[in-house]
Amino acid sequence: MSSKGYIVVSGCKKCGRCRAICSLFALKRNSDDRPKIDHDLCDRCMLCVKCCPNRALIYME
């Protein structure tokens, strides 16, 4: 399994800011209402990471 890409950590409070800021609609809700990143749609602009008040999105290179 590759560790490259975005991950959502336990600090996520499910506020939805990351989904709202993504102009490519690359973030969806998973079954527990946390964001799930569609890596095929994502252009890695990092806006979701920057807007998260809880720093719950992390990008692993």
Side-chain angles (χ1 to χ4, degrees), residues 9-61:
V9 296
S10 61
C12 177
K13 303 296 182 198
K14 306 172 189 174
C15 69
R17 289 183 187 182
C18 58
R19 291 190 314 273
I21 202 164
C22 183
S23 63
L24 299 175
F25 305 103
L27 288 102
K28 311 290 185 215
R29 292 181 187 196
N30 68 11
S31 61
D32 67 351
D33 214 25
R34 292 173 62 181
K36 178 177 180 355
I37 296 94
D38 182 332
H39 296 282
D40 292 327
L41 294 176
C42 177
D43 68 355
R44 292 153 197 72
C45 69
M46 307 285 282
L47 285 176
C48 58
V49 171
K50 293 173 186 171
C51 83
C52 181
N54 299 302
R55 297 185 178 181
L57 279 167
I58 300 170
Y59 185 73
M60 306 290 286
E61 292 189 46

